[in-house]
Amino acid sequence: MLPKRNARLTQPLVRDNGVLRAASWDEALDRAATGLRTAQGEGQRRFGLFSCSKTTNEMNFIAQKFTRLVMGSNNIDSCNRT
């Protein structure tokens, strides 16, 4: 059963044919990993990351390293520049 509007999620949801359904953590993480692998294999224009100024410098550093080295993309932006 899907949660009511404004209710807290208690389990992961996945989208099948445009409809959300409850899923196990294993299925949800497998789908996320598959999506990242697909984006990684399709070139740098497929993946981008937006970080937040409210996080630590170390977290922003790790986020940009992940984007550049793991995903092979230079598409990184942050609200720090506003």
Side-chain angles (χ1 to χ4, degrees):
M1 184 170 137
L2 294 178
K4 294 180 181 177
R5 188 176 199 149
N6 296 326
R8 185 172 212 134
L9 291 176
T10 58
Q11 62 190 52
L13 303 176
V14 296
R15 192 175 305 275
D16 280 331
N17 298 320
V19 178
L20 288 174
R21 67 167 176 82
S24 69
W25 280 104
D26 285 340
E27 180 185 4
L29 291 172
D30 284 344
R31 283 189 179 210
T34 299
L36 285 171
R37 273 190 223 99
T38 300
Q40 185 182 35
E42 292 182 2
Q44 68 178 11
R45 297 181 70 63
R46 178 73 181 197
F47 184 85
L49 185 128
F50 188 85
S51 65
C52 178
S53 63
K54 295 187 184 214
T55 191
T56 64
N57 286 338
E58 292 81 6
M59 192 65 200
N60 279 320
F61 177 79
I62 291 297
Q64 68 90 17
K65 280 294 191 185
F66 172 80
T67 302
R68 292 179 199 276
L69 297 178
V70 176
M71 298 306 293
S73 175
N74 289 325
N75 298 325
I76 304 166
D77 202 358
S78 173
C79 58
N80 292 335
R81 62 186 177 82
T82 58

